[in-house]
Amino acid sequence: MDKIWSGKLHVLFHGPRHWELIKDLWFSSSCPIPYLDEWKRLGVNIVPVVTNYQDPIRSTKCRIIVSTGYDTDLASIHRVAWSFIAPWDIARASVIHDVLMEAIRSDLDNLSKKQIRQLRKNADSVLLDGMNNAEPDVPVWKIKACYSIVRMLGGICIRNRSYRERHGW
C-alpha cells in the first residue's frame, strides 16, 4: 500500500500561532481529482499519483504538496477548545486545507460564486479525508466536530484574510 502522508509534521516554532515547515508535507487524496486543473491554475502544488497500475483509473490520487518554509498556525482552533480538540490532533490535515483555502482566496475576483462553493467544498473534503487518515487516529467525534465547524464557518474564512496573512508571514 502506498503512503498517504509524507510522514510526521516537521515544524519550527516562532511564537504564538506561528510555525514554519522545515520539511515538505504532502498528502495523497482522491478528493481533488475533479478539480485538479483548477487547483493547479490557482497555484497549488498538486500532482496526480497512480497507486495501482493494474487499475489506474480508480486508483489515481492527487498529491498536495506544501513546501518547506510555509508558515502556518497549524489548526485555527480557539484556545478555549484546546482541552478537547488540540490543534496538533488535526494539524497536518489543517495545513493542507489552509493551502487550498488560501489558493481560493488568492483569486476571488476571478472565480464565480459557484466555483468558490465547489472548490471550498472540495477543500473541506480533503480536510475530512486527511483527518480520517491521520496517524495516530483522530477520534470520530473530533473529526465530525471539526468538519462541521469548517463547513459552517468556512465561507467567512474565504472572505477574510487568514491569521498568517494578517501577520505578514
Side-chain angles (χ1 to χ4, degrees):
M1 185 170 158
D2 291 314
K3 286 176 58 174
I4 294 173
W5 287 100
S6 56
K8 294 180 179 179
L9 185 64
H10 296 271
V11 293
L12 182 64
F13 181 62
H14 287 295
R17 299 182 69 168
H18 186 186
W19 304 79
E20 176 188 354
L21 259 62
I22 57 173
K23 183 178 178 187
D24 286 0
L25 171 71
W26 56 258
F27 175 61
S28 295
S29 173
S30 57
C31 296
I33 289 172
Y35 301 97
L36 177 64
D37 292 335
E38 192 67 26
W39 287 123
K40 282 183 176 184
R41 188 189 71 71
L42 292 172
V44 175
N45 188 356
I46 185 170
V47 294
V49 177
V50 177
T51 57
N52 180 348
Y53 288 96
Q54 294 175 348
D55 188 6
I57 301 298
R58 288 191 297 199
S59 63
T60 300
K61 294 188 174 217
C62 291
R63 182 170 288 170
I64 303 162
I65 305 158
V66 184
S67 299
T68 299
Y70 180 78
D71 288 300
T72 180
D73 65 352
L74 295 181
S76 303
I77 297 173
H78 195 280
R79 274 210 184 271
V80 173
W82 279 25
S83 60
F84 54 93
I85 302 177
W88 41 87
D89 288 347
I90 59 165
R92 290 185 303 174
S94 294
V95 170
I96 299 292
H97 184 257
D98 285 352
V99 166
L100 297 175
M101 294 293 277
E102 288 170 11
I104 297 168
R105 194 178 305 109
S106 73
D107 204 26
L108 281 178
D109 294 338
N110 298 312
L111 295 169
S112 69
K113 287 182 180 183
K114 180 180 179 184
Q115 287 174 305
I116 293 168
R117 267 193 318 275
Q118 289 172 330
L119 289 169
R120 185 184 144 230
K121 187 173 183 178
N122 188 245
D124 295 350
S125 295
V126 171
L127 173 70
L128 181 61
D129 192 24
M131 291 187 296
N132 281 323
N133 286 288
E135 299 162 355
D137 290 344
V138 176
V140 173
W141 68 267
K142 284 185 184 185
I143 292 171
K144 287 182 178 182
C146 291
Y147 181 72
S148 296
I149 291 167
V150 164
R151 287 302 303 149
M152 281 189 297
L153 302 177
I156 295 167
C157 296
I158 288 289
R159 291 185 292 279
N160 297 318
R161 294 185 309 152
S162 70
Y163 187 87
R164 68 186 299 278
E165 292 168 325
R166 287 193 307 268
H167 290 85
W169 300 343

